[in-house]
Amino acid sequence: MSDNRTDFDVIIIGGGPSGATAAHEIAIAGHRVLLLERAFRIKPCGGAIPPCLLGEFDIPRSLLKAEIQSARMISPKEQKVDMPIDGTFVGMVDRDEFDPWLRQRAQHAGAELEIAAFKKLEYLDSSTIEVTYITKDADTETKTATARCVLGADGARSRVAKQGIPKYAEIPWVLAYHEIVEAPETATGDYDPERCEVWYQGKLSPDFYAWVFPHGKSASIGVGSAFKDFSAKDSVNELRAISGLDKARTIRKEGAPIPMKPMKRWDDGKGILVSGDAAGVVAPASGEGIYYAMLCGRLSADAIKDFLVSGKASALRAPRKRFMKLHGRTFWALGLLQYFWYHSDKRREQFVEMCKDEDVQTLTWQSYTQKKLVKKKGKEHLRVVLKDIAQLLGLSKSTA
């Protein structure tokens, strides 16, 4: 039910995968949507998406820049463990193309897109929120618009969250930095356009990992870390040299904070909700965010549609409850994995050694590509847990 007393039913701040997905689904339902997108930089992102995302969110396969067939884990002692992907793949997208496509789809569904920077929001009364923003087109100016609901999908250090849900806005994060470079489309030296590389070395990242992810004609070379005195640019330069891509032309450079834990609350109890990175839905240990952001956007859209029809602010609590029911255990397990295995180079060496195990590889790819675990493979799950504990306690053989 639209309310003509406001300019829009919903104003969405941020047009990345989460905000654009929410805008599309709310607009299709017939509600008036304003989508505000800064559009002057792209979030650093390896670009990996699971194949299940294509079907769940009706994404054309033509948007994939590459279909990765394996991953290589590299330990502190240069041990290289290949993990082939059996019967499926990991898709690679370029956010420079993927995000605009999602925003354009939202526009086709009826959402109004404005290139603008969010400044502030405030309640004019119990059911009307005013948003102030600065346009980024040729006629730069400060504008305001009103809505019954505001969705903040504006990144890890969300200004919407800080203004609207301040008590819950502080969450741990790591700084991600990457460089997109021109890359060969055929294997050469240590670089393979059909293989992701994940580097678990303290010299490249003291508390997270570094990566080389192929994107067809280009590649993302990046690193993440929460250490403030760590030089991400130096690390990427070193990794480019190791990969033989130090002379490759640099297309663009990007850096931004990546959240490592979901916020405890995503709404203010009245009309403000956050989604995607703003809600903290990036998987610990892996840093995977695109799938979870889009799922969060869909759950937020469902809740907002309910809120607009029913007028019940309690509907805005549903996205977090539903998301944590679906993926809360996975996030908890990945958080433990990051805490234990990324702690030192000795632990990282043990972790890469463990990746040789067929059970570990099977469950890793199954959980990543399908976003669920097959219940009838319970014995394999148990074996992986026991092996993980044995590695941690030093009860199994290791090269460390």
Side-chain angles (χ1 to χ4, degrees):
M1 180 185 299
S2 294
D3 186 345
N4 292 321
R5 291 175 299 177
T6 58
D7 299 317
F8 297 91
D9 298 316
V10 185
I11 297 176
I12 299 175
I13 315 297
S18 194
T21 298
H24 171 250
E25 302 204 359
I26 296 171
I28 276 185
H31 300 292
R32 298 169 301 146
V33 179
L34 173 62
L35 178 61
L36 300 180
E37 164 58 26
R38 293 183 302 174
F40 62 83
R41 70 176 182 141
I42 306 161
K43 172 188 168 183
C45 177
I49 63 171
C52 65
L53 180 147
L54 302 178
E56 288 184 34
F57 296 94
D58 196 22
I59 302 299
R61 200 160 175 168
S62 60
L63 281 177
L64 298 183
K65 296 298 184 183
E67 296 185 6
I68 300 303
Q69 303 299 319
S70 70
R72 172 171 286 180
M73 311 298 192
I74 299 99
S75 77
K77 294 183 179 180
E78 302 292 336
Q79 179 181 194
K80 298 177 180 179
V81 176
D82 287 335
M83 298 176 62
I85 305 173
D86 185 23
T88 183
F89 61 90
V90 172
M92 287 291 167
V93 297
D94 189 333
R95 296 287 296 275
D96 194 26
E97 177 184 2
F98 187 69
D99 290 20
W101 186 91
L102 292 173
R103 291 192 289 271
Q104 187 177 56
R105 181 168 70 169
Q107 285 182 281
H108 288 163
E112 183 175 326
L113 174 66
E114 186 143 17
I115 305 304
F118 166 75
K119 297 302 291 183
K120 67 176 182 177
L121 55 77
E122 62 179 322
Y123 280 94
L124 299 183
D125 56 45
S126 60
S127 61
T128 305
I129 308 171
E130 182 180 72
V131 173
T132 302
Y133 57 96
I134 299 177
T135 61
K136 293 290 185 176
D137 56 20
D139 300 317
T140 300
E141 61 177 312
T142 299
K143 291 184 176 181
T144 60
T146 58
R148 294 175 59 194
C149 181
V150 169
L151 177 65
D154 53 336
R157 305 178 75 176
S158 167
R159 297 184 69 180
V160 173
K162 289 179 180 179
Q163 292 183 33
I165 319 172
K167 181 180 178 181
Y168 301 95
E170 293 300 324
I171 53 177
W173 51 273
V174 301
L175 175 67
Y177 171 78
H178 80 161
E179 297 180 3
I180 298 290
V181 306
E182 287 186 348
E185 295 185 66
T186 57
T188 175
D190 288 331
Y191 178 78
D192 186 336
E194 293 188 350
R195 182 186 67 212
C196 286
E197 290 188 354
V198 187
W199 293 73
Y200 295 100
Q201 297 184 351
K203 67 178 182 178
L204 293 176
S205 173
D207 58 329
F208 204 57
Y209 65 80
W211 69 82
V212 178
F213 286 178
H215 289 176
K217 294 181 180 180
S218 64
S220 165
I221 305 173
V223 65
S225 176
F227 283 32
K228 293 183 179 180
D229 58 350
F230 171 71
S231 175
K233 291 185 178 181
D234 288 347
S235 178
V236 169
N237 284 338
E238 183 174 354
L239 188 51
R240 286 183 65 165
I242 293 171
S243 303
L245 297 173
D246 49 327
K247 304 298 183 183
R249 185 179 74 88
T250 301
I251 299 172
R252 63 180 192 268
K253 302 177 181 181
E254 296 146 358
I258 306 296
M260 285 290 106
K261 187 176 182 180
M263 282 174 55
K264 291 184 179 179
R265 182 162 179 170
W266 297 357
D267 72 293
D268 71 339
K270 294 187 289 183
I272 298 172
L273 180 66
V274 292
S275 181
D277 280 16
V281 294
V282 173
S286 69
E288 181 191 0
I290 297 177
Y291 174 85
Y292 295 116
M294 294 180 71
L295 174 63
C296 195
R298 170 168 286 171
L299 297 178
S300 296
D302 289 343
I304 289 170
K305 288 184 288 185
D306 186 3
F307 168 71
L308 293 175
V309 173
S310 70
K312 296 180 179 179
S314 58
L316 300 181
R317 293 196 175 188
R320 190 183 190 281
K321 291 180 180 178
R322 291 179 62 191
F323 185 91
M324 296 308 290
K325 183 176 181 179
L326 289 169
H327 299 291
R329 290 184 180 180
T330 297
F331 273 48
W332 176 80
L334 289 174
L336 286 180
L337 185 153
Q338 181 175 335
Y339 176 80
F340 285 118
W341 295 119
Y342 295 6
H343 183 69
S344 67
D345 271 356
K346 180 179 179 180
R347 293 269 181 89
R348 295 184 189 100
E349 195 72 39
Q350 291 175 314
F351 175 69
V352 173
E353 175 73 19
M354 190 171 63
C355 289
K356 292 180 179 179
D357 187 272
E358 290 185 3
D359 289 334
V360 171
Q361 294 189 12
T362 297
L363 292 183
T364 295
W365 291 129
Q366 176 203 311
S367 61
Y368 178 83
T369 60
Q370 301 178 32
K371 288 294 171 278
K372 61 184 179 181
L373 294 176
V374 179
K375 292 182 178 180
K376 61 184 178 182
K377 291 191 176 182
K379 291 183 179 179
E380 285 89 338
H381 300 176
L382 178 59
R383 285 203 298 269
V384 168
V385 171
L386 294 176
K387 290 170 185 176
D388 190 75
I389 294 172
Q391 282 280 7
L392 184 62
L393 298 177
L395 299 178
S396 63
K397 295 180 180 180
S398 172
T399 58

Short mmCIF file of all heavy atoms in Angstrom, two decimals, residues 170-219:
data_model
loop_
_atom_site.label_atom_id
_atom_site.label_comp_id
_atom_site.label_asym_id
_atom_site.label_seq_id
_atom_site.Cartn_x
_atom_site.Cartn_y
_atom_site.Cartn_z
N GLU A 170 28.61 -0.49 15.66
CA GLU A 170 30.03 -0.82 15.66
C GLU A 170 30.24 -2.33 15.54
O GLU A 170 29.82 -3.10 16.39
CB GLU A 170 30.69 -0.30 16.94
CG GLU A 170 30.74 1.22 17.04
CD GLU A 170 31.52 1.86 15.89
OE1 GLU A 170 32.52 1.27 15.46
OE2 GLU A 170 31.11 2.94 15.43
N ILE A 171 30.89 -2.74 14.46
CA ILE A 171 31.19 -4.16 14.25
C ILE A 171 32.64 -4.28 13.79
O ILE A 171 33.20 -3.36 13.21
CB ILE A 171 30.24 -4.78 13.18
CG1 ILE A 171 30.24 -3.95 11.88
CG2 ILE A 171 28.85 -4.94 13.72
CD1 ILE A 171 29.40 -4.55 10.79
N PRO A 172 33.30 -5.42 14.06
CA PRO A 172 34.69 -5.60 13.62
C PRO A 172 34.79 -5.66 12.10
O PRO A 172 33.86 -6.11 11.43
CB PRO A 172 35.10 -6.93 14.26
CG PRO A 172 33.81 -7.66 14.47
CD PRO A 172 32.80 -6.61 14.79
N TRP A 173 35.91 -5.18 11.56
CA TRP A 173 36.08 -5.19 10.11
C TRP A 173 37.55 -5.34 9.77
O TRP A 173 38.43 -5.14 10.61
CB TRP A 173 35.52 -3.90 9.49
CG TRP A 173 36.02 -2.63 10.11
CD1 TRP A 173 35.48 -1.97 11.19
CD2 TRP A 173 37.17 -1.86 9.70
NE1 TRP A 173 36.21 -0.86 11.47
CE2 TRP A 173 37.26 -0.76 10.58
CE3 TRP A 173 38.12 -2.01 8.70
CZ2 TRP A 173 38.26 0.20 10.47
CZ3 TRP A 173 39.13 -1.06 8.59
CH2 TRP A 173 39.19 0.03 9.47
N VAL A 174 37.79 -5.73 8.54
CA VAL A 174 39.16 -5.76 8.01
C VAL A 174 39.20 -4.82 6.81
O VAL A 174 38.18 -4.58 6.15
CB VAL A 174 39.60 -7.18 7.57
CG1 VAL A 174 39.54 -8.14 8.73
CG2 VAL A 174 38.76 -7.67 6.41
N LEU A 175 40.37 -4.27 6.55
CA LEU A 175 40.53 -3.43 5.37
C LEU A 175 40.87 -4.32 4.19
O LEU A 175 41.83 -5.11 4.24
CB LEU A 175 41.64 -2.41 5.57
CG LEU A 175 41.96 -1.55 4.32
CD1 LEU A 175 40.77 -0.65 3.99
CD2 LEU A 175 43.22 -0.73 4.51
N ALA A 176 40.10 -4.24 3.13
CA ALA A 176 40.39 -4.99 1.91
C ALA A 176 40.92 -4.02 0.85
O ALA A 176 40.41 -2.90 0.72
CB ALA A 176 39.13 -5.68 1.39
N TYR A 177 41.95 -4.45 0.15
CA TYR A 177 42.52 -3.64 -0.92
C TYR A 177 42.87 -4.57 -2.07
O TYR A 177 43.41 -5.66 -1.86
CB TYR A 177 43.78 -2.92 -0.44
CG TYR A 177 44.55 -2.22 -1.55
CD1 TYR A 177 44.12 -1.00 -2.06
CD2 TYR A 177 45.69 -2.81 -2.10
CE1 TYR A 177 44.81 -0.37 -3.09
CE2 TYR A 177 46.39 -2.18 -3.13
CZ TYR A 177 45.94 -0.96 -3.62
OH TYR A 177 46.62 -0.34 -4.63
N HIS A 178 42.53 -4.15 -3.30
CA HIS A 178 42.94 -4.96 -4.44
C HIS A 178 43.24 -4.07 -5.64
O HIS A 178 42.88 -2.89 -5.67
CB HIS A 178 41.88 -6.02 -4.79
CG HIS A 178 40.71 -5.51 -5.57
ND1 HIS A 178 39.88 -6.34 -6.29
CD2 HIS A 178 40.18 -4.26 -5.74
CE1 HIS A 178 38.91 -5.65 -6.87
NE2 HIS A 178 39.08 -4.38 -6.55
N GLU A 179 43.93 -4.68 -6.59
CA GLU A 179 44.22 -4.01 -7.85
C GLU A 179 43.73 -4.91 -8.97
O GLU A 179 44.03 -6.11 -9.00
CB GLU A 179 45.72 -3.74 -7.98
CG GLU A 179 46.23 -2.78 -6.90
CD GLU A 179 47.72 -2.48 -6.99
OE1 GLU A 179 48.37 -2.97 -7.94
OE2 GLU A 179 48.24 -1.76 -6.11
N ILE A 180 42.94 -4.34 -9.86
CA ILE A 180 42.48 -5.05 -11.05
C ILE A 180 43.51 -4.80 -12.16
O ILE A 180 43.79 -3.64 -12.49
CB ILE A 180 41.09 -4.58 -11.51
CG1 ILE A 180 40.04 -4.86 -10.42
CG2 ILE A 180 40.69 -5.25 -12.81
CD1 ILE A 180 39.73 -6.32 -10.22
N VAL A 181 44.05 -5.87 -12.71
CA VAL A 181 45.10 -5.74 -13.72
C VAL A 181 44.74 -6.53 -14.97
O VAL A 181 43.92 -7.46 -14.92
CB VAL A 181 46.47 -6.23 -13.18
CG1 VAL A 181 46.83 -5.52 -11.88
CG2 VAL A 181 46.45 -7.75 -12.97
N GLU A 182 45.31 -6.14 -16.08
CA GLU A 182 45.18 -6.93 -17.29
C GLU A 182 45.91 -8.25 -17.10
O GLU A 182 47.00 -8.28 -16.53
CB GLU A 182 45.76 -6.18 -18.49
CG GLU A 182 44.90 -5.03 -18.97
CD GLU A 182 45.46 -4.41 -20.24
OE1 GLU A 182 46.60 -4.73 -20.62
OE2 GLU A 182 44.74 -3.58 -20.85
N ALA A 183 45.30 -9.34 -17.55
CA ALA A 183 45.90 -10.66 -17.32
C ALA A 183 45.78 -11.51 -18.56
O ALA A 183 44.85 -11.35 -19.37
CB ALA A 183 45.22 -11.35 -16.14
N PRO A 184 46.70 -12.45 -18.75
CA PRO A 184 46.62 -13.35 -19.91
C PRO A 184 45.41 -14.27 -19.79
O PRO A 184 45.01 -14.66 -18.69
CB PRO A 184 47.93 -14.13 -19.84
CG PRO A 184 48.35 -14.06 -18.41
CD PRO A 184 47.89 -12.71 -17.93
N GLU A 185 44.82 -14.63 -20.92
CA GLU A 185 43.65 -15.50 -20.93
C GLU A 185 44.03 -16.98 -20.99
O GLU A 185 43.16 -17.84 -20.99
CB GLU A 185 42.73 -15.14 -22.09
CG GLU A 185 42.13 -13.74 -21.97
CD GLU A 185 41.13 -13.44 -23.07
OE1 GLU A 185 40.06 -14.08 -23.10
OE2 GLU A 185 41.43 -12.57 -23.91
N THR A 186 45.32 -17.26 -21.06
CA THR A 186 45.82 -18.64 -21.03
C THR A 186 46.84 -18.75 -19.92
O THR A 186 47.44 -17.75 -19.49
CB THR A 186 46.46 -19.03 -22.37
OG1 THR A 186 47.52 -18.11 -22.67
CG2 THR A 186 45.43 -19.00 -23.48
N ALA A 187 47.05 -19.97 -19.43
CA ALA A 187 47.99 -20.19 -18.33
C ALA A 187 49.41 -19.78 -18.74
O ALA A 187 49.87 -20.07 -19.85
CB ALA A 187 47.97 -21.66 -17.92
N THR A 188 50.08 -19.09 -17.83
CA THR A 188 51.45 -18.68 -18.06
C THR A 188 52.17 -18.54 -16.73
O THR A 188 51.65 -17.89 -15.81
CB THR A 188 51.52 -17.35 -18.85
OG1 THR A 188 52.87 -16.93 -18.95
CG2 THR A 188 50.73 -16.25 -18.16
N GLY A 189 53.32 -19.17 -16.60
CA GLY A 189 54.05 -19.12 -15.33
C GLY A 189 53.23 -19.69 -14.19
O GLY A 189 52.70 -20.81 -14.29
N ASP A 190 53.07 -18.92 -13.11
CA ASP A 190 52.29 -19.36 -11.96
C ASP A 190 50.82 -18.93 -12.04
O ASP A 190 50.04 -19.20 -11.13
CB ASP A 190 52.90 -18.79 -10.67
CG ASP A 190 54.22 -19.46 -10.31
OD1 ASP A 190 54.39 -20.65 -10.68
OD2 ASP A 190 55.07 -18.80 -9.69
N TYR A 191 50.45 -18.26 -13.14
CA TYR A 191 49.08 -17.76 -13.25
C TYR A 191 48.24 -18.66 -14.15
O TYR A 191 48.65 -19.01 -15.26
CB TYR A 191 49.08 -16.33 -13.82
CG TYR A 191 47.69 -15.76 -14.01
CD1 TYR A 191 46.98 -15.27 -12.92
CD2 TYR A 191 47.10 -15.71 -15.27
CE1 TYR A 191 45.71 -14.76 -13.09
CE2 TYR A 191 45.83 -15.19 -15.45
CZ TYR A 191 45.14 -14.72 -14.34
OH TYR A 191 43.88 -14.21 -14.51
N ASP A 192 47.04 -19.01 -13.64
CA ASP A 192 46.12 -19.85 -14.41
C ASP A 192 44.75 -19.16 -14.40
O ASP A 192 44.17 -18.94 -13.33
CB ASP A 192 46.01 -21.24 -13.78
CG ASP A 192 45.19 -22.22 -14.62
OD1 ASP A 192 44.34 -21.76 -15.42
OD2 ASP A 192 45.38 -23.44 -14.47
N PRO A 193 44.21 -18.79 -15.57
CA PRO A 193 42.93 -18.07 -15.62
C PRO A 193 41.72 -18.90 -15.19
O PRO A 193 40.62 -18.35 -15.09
CB PRO A 193 42.82 -17.67 -17.10
CG PRO A 193 43.65 -18.67 -17.83
CD PRO A 193 44.78 -19.00 -16.91
N GLU A 194 41.91 -20.19 -14.91
CA GLU A 194 40.81 -21.02 -14.43
C GLU A 194 41.02 -21.46 -12.98
O GLU A 194 40.34 -22.36 -12.50
CB GLU A 194 40.65 -22.25 -15.33
CG GLU A 194 40.18 -21.92 -16.74
CD GLU A 194 39.83 -23.16 -17.54
OE1 GLU A 194 40.14 -24.28 -17.07
OE2 GLU A 194 39.25 -23.02 -18.63
N ARG A 195 41.94 -20.80 -12.28
CA ARG A 195 42.24 -21.20 -10.90
C ARG A 195 42.36 -19.97 -10.00
O ARG A 195 43.06 -19.02 -10.32
CB ARG A 195 43.55 -21.99 -10.87
CG ARG A 195 43.92 -22.51 -9.47
CD ARG A 195 45.30 -23.14 -9.49
NE ARG A 195 46.36 -22.17 -9.75
CZ ARG A 195 47.48 -22.42 -10.41
NH1 ARG A 195 47.69 -23.63 -10.90
NH2 ARG A 195 48.38 -21.47 -10.60
N CYS A 196 41.67 -20.02 -8.88
CA CYS A 196 41.85 -19.00 -7.84
C CYS A 196 43.04 -19.38 -6.97
O CYS A 196 43.30 -20.57 -6.73
CB CYS A 196 40.62 -18.93 -6.94
SG CYS A 196 39.19 -18.15 -7.70
N GLU A 197 43.77 -18.38 -6.50
CA GLU A 197 44.86 -18.63 -5.57
C GLU A 197 44.59 -17.88 -4.27
O GLU A 197 44.25 -16.70 -4.29
CB GLU A 197 46.19 -18.19 -6.16
CG GLU A 197 46.67 -19.06 -7.31
CD GLU A 197 48.09 -18.73 -7.75
OE1 GLU A 197 48.65 -17.74 -7.23
OE2 GLU A 197 48.62 -19.46 -8.60
N VAL A 198 44.73 -18.60 -3.16
CA VAL A 198 44.54 -18.01 -1.84
C VAL A 198 45.83 -18.20 -1.06
O VAL A 198 46.26 -19.33 -0.83
CB VAL A 198 43.35 -18.66 -1.10
CG1 VAL A 198 43.07 -17.92 0.20
CG2 VAL A 198 42.11 -18.69 -1.98
N TRP A 199 46.43 -17.10 -0.64
CA TRP A 199 47.74 -17.13 0.00
C TRP A 199 47.59 -16.93 1.51
O TRP A 199 47.15 -15.87 1.97
CB TRP A 199 48.63 -16.03 -0.58
CG TRP A 199 49.00 -16.27 -2.02
CD1 TRP A 199 48.19 -16.16 -3.11
CD2 TRP A 199 50.27 -16.70 -2.51
NE1 TRP A 199 48.88 -16.48 -4.26
CE2 TRP A 199 50.16 -16.81 -3.92
CE3 TRP A 199 51.50 -16.97 -1.90
CZ2 TRP A 199 51.22 -17.19 -4.73
CZ3 TRP A 199 52.56 -17.35 -2.71
CH2 TRP A 199 52.42 -17.46 -4.10
N TYR A 200 47.94 -17.97 2.26
CA TYR A 200 47.90 -17.91 3.71
C TYR A 200 49.33 -17.74 4.23
O TYR A 200 49.98 -18.70 4.67
CB TYR A 200 47.27 -19.19 4.28
CG TYR A 200 45.82 -19.37 3.92
CD1 TYR A 200 45.45 -20.22 2.88
CD2 TYR A 200 44.82 -18.68 4.58
CE1 TYR A 200 44.11 -20.38 2.53
CE2 TYR A 200 43.48 -18.84 4.25
CZ TYR A 200 43.13 -19.69 3.22
OH TYR A 200 41.82 -19.84 2.88
N GLN A 201 49.82 -16.53 4.17
CA GLN A 201 51.18 -16.22 4.61
C GLN A 201 51.17 -14.93 5.42
O GLN A 201 50.62 -13.91 4.96
CB GLN A 201 52.12 -16.08 3.41
CG GLN A 201 52.29 -17.35 2.59
CD GLN A 201 53.31 -17.19 1.47
OE1 GLN A 201 53.77 -16.09 1.18
NE2 GLN A 201 53.65 -18.29 0.83
N GLY A 202 51.78 -14.98 6.60
CA GLY A 202 51.80 -13.81 7.46
C GLY A 202 52.45 -12.60 6.83
O GLY A 202 52.07 -11.46 7.11
N LYS A 203 53.41 -12.82 5.94
CA LYS A 203 54.08 -11.67 5.30
C LYS A 203 53.15 -10.95 4.33
O LYS A 203 53.34 -9.76 4.05
CB LYS A 203 55.35 -12.14 4.59
CG LYS A 203 55.10 -13.04 3.39
CD LYS A 203 56.41 -13.41 2.69
CE LYS A 203 56.16 -14.28 1.46
NZ LYS A 203 57.42 -14.60 0.75
N LEU A 204 52.17 -11.68 3.79
CA LEU A 204 51.21 -11.07 2.88
C LEU A 204 49.98 -10.54 3.60
O LEU A 204 49.38 -9.56 3.19
CB LEU A 204 50.79 -12.07 1.80
CG LEU A 204 51.88 -12.50 0.81
CD1 LEU A 204 51.36 -13.56 -0.15
CD2 LEU A 204 52.40 -11.29 0.01
N SER A 205 49.58 -11.23 4.67
CA SER A 205 48.50 -10.76 5.54
C SER A 205 48.69 -11.37 6.91
O SER A 205 48.64 -12.60 7.04
CB SER A 205 47.12 -11.15 4.98
OG SER A 205 46.10 -10.81 5.92
N PRO A 206 48.89 -10.57 7.95
CA PRO A 206 49.16 -11.11 9.28
C PRO A 206 47.97 -11.74 9.97
O PRO A 206 48.13 -12.49 10.94
CB PRO A 206 49.64 -9.87 10.06
CG PRO A 206 48.99 -8.72 9.36
CD PRO A 206 48.96 -9.10 7.90
N ASP A 207 46.75 -11.50 9.46
CA ASP A 207 45.57 -12.01 10.16
C ASP A 207 44.43 -12.42 9.24
O ASP A 207 43.37 -12.81 9.71
CB ASP A 207 45.04 -10.94 11.14
CG ASP A 207 44.69 -9.63 10.43
OD1 ASP A 207 45.33 -9.31 9.42
OD2 ASP A 207 43.78 -8.93 10.89
N PHE A 208 44.65 -12.37 7.92
CA PHE A 208 43.60 -12.77 6.99
C PHE A 208 44.26 -13.54 5.85
O PHE A 208 45.00 -14.48 6.11
CB PHE A 208 42.85 -11.52 6.49
CG PHE A 208 41.45 -11.82 6.01
CD1 PHE A 208 40.52 -12.42 6.85
CD2 PHE A 208 41.05 -11.47 4.73
CE1 PHE A 208 39.22 -12.68 6.42
CE2 PHE A 208 39.75 -11.72 4.28
CZ PHE A 208 38.85 -12.33 5.13
N TYR A 209 44.04 -13.18 4.62
CA TYR A 209 44.71 -13.85 3.51
C TYR A 209 44.86 -12.90 2.33
O TYR A 209 44.27 -11.80 2.31
CB TYR A 209 43.95 -15.12 3.08
CG TYR A 209 42.57 -14.89 2.50
CD1 TYR A 209 42.40 -14.51 1.17
CD2 TYR A 209 41.42 -15.10 3.26
CE1 TYR A 209 41.15 -14.31 0.62
CE2 TYR A 209 40.16 -14.90 2.73
CZ TYR A 209 40.03 -14.51 1.41
OH TYR A 209 38.78 -14.31 0.87
N ALA A 210 45.65 -13.30 1.35
CA ALA A 210 45.79 -12.56 0.09
C ALA A 210 45.27 -13.44 -1.03
O ALA A 210 45.16 -14.66 -0.88
CB ALA A 210 47.25 -12.20 -0.14
N TRP A 211 44.95 -12.83 -2.18
CA TRP A 211 44.32 -13.61 -3.24
C TRP A 211 44.74 -13.14 -4.63
O TRP A 211 45.13 -11.99 -4.83
CB TRP A 211 42.81 -13.56 -3.13
CG TRP A 211 42.19 -12.22 -3.44
CD1 TRP A 211 41.91 -11.71 -4.68
CD2 TRP A 211 41.78 -11.21 -2.50
NE1 TRP A 211 41.35 -10.47 -4.59
CE2 TRP A 211 41.26 -10.13 -3.26
CE3 TRP A 211 41.80 -11.13 -1.11
CZ2 TRP A 211 40.76 -8.97 -2.66
CZ3 TRP A 211 41.31 -9.98 -0.51
CH2 TRP A 211 40.80 -8.92 -1.28
N VAL A 212 44.61 -14.08 -5.58
CA VAL A 212 44.69 -13.79 -7.01
C VAL A 212 43.49 -14.48 -7.64
O VAL A 212 43.44 -15.71 -7.70
CB VAL A 212 46.00 -14.31 -7.65
CG1 VAL A 212 46.00 -14.00 -9.15
CG2 VAL A 212 47.21 -13.69 -6.97
N PHE A 213 42.50 -13.69 -8.08
CA PHE A 213 41.27 -14.23 -8.64
C PHE A 213 41.15 -13.80 -10.11
O PHE A 213 41.05 -12.60 -10.41
CB PHE A 213 40.04 -13.73 -7.87
CG PHE A 213 39.85 -14.37 -6.52
CD1 PHE A 213 38.81 -13.98 -5.71
CD2 PHE A 213 40.71 -15.34 -6.06
CE1 PHE A 213 38.61 -14.56 -4.46
CE2 PHE A 213 40.54 -15.93 -4.81
CZ PHE A 213 39.50 -15.54 -4.01
N PRO A 214 41.14 -14.74 -11.05
CA PRO A 214 41.01 -14.41 -12.47
C PRO A 214 39.61 -13.90 -12.83
O PRO A 214 38.61 -14.36 -12.28
CB PRO A 214 41.28 -15.74 -13.17
CG PRO A 214 41.95 -16.60 -12.15
CD PRO A 214 41.37 -16.18 -10.84
N HIS A 215 39.58 -12.93 -13.76
CA HIS A 215 38.32 -12.38 -14.27
C HIS A 215 38.31 -12.39 -15.79
O HIS A 215 37.94 -11.41 -16.42
CB HIS A 215 38.12 -10.94 -13.77
CG HIS A 215 37.80 -10.82 -12.33
ND1 HIS A 215 37.68 -9.59 -11.70
CD2 HIS A 215 37.60 -11.74 -11.36
CE1 HIS A 215 37.41 -9.78 -10.41
NE2 HIS A 215 37.35 -11.08 -10.19
N GLY A 216 38.78 -13.46 -16.39
CA GLY A 216 38.85 -13.48 -17.85
C GLY A 216 40.05 -12.69 -18.34
O GLY A 216 41.19 -13.10 -18.16
N LYS A 217 39.79 -11.53 -18.92
CA LYS A 217 40.87 -10.70 -19.44
C LYS A 217 41.59 -9.90 -18.35
O LYS A 217 42.59 -9.24 -18.61
CB LYS A 217 40.33 -9.73 -20.50
CG LYS A 217 39.81 -10.42 -21.76
CD LYS A 217 39.32 -9.41 -22.77
CE LYS A 217 38.80 -10.10 -24.03
NZ LYS A 217 38.31 -9.11 -25.04
N SER A 218 41.07 -9.94 -17.15
CA SER A 218 41.69 -9.23 -16.04
C SER A 218 41.78 -10.14 -14.82
O SER A 218 41.34 -11.29 -14.85
CB SER A 218 40.88 -7.96 -15.70
OG SER A 218 39.58 -8.31 -15.25
N ALA A 219 42.37 -9.63 -13.75
CA ALA A 219 42.49 -10.40 -12.51
C ALA A 219 42.45 -9.45 -11.33
O ALA A 219 42.90 -8.30 -11.41
CB ALA A 219 43.78 -11.21 -12.49
#
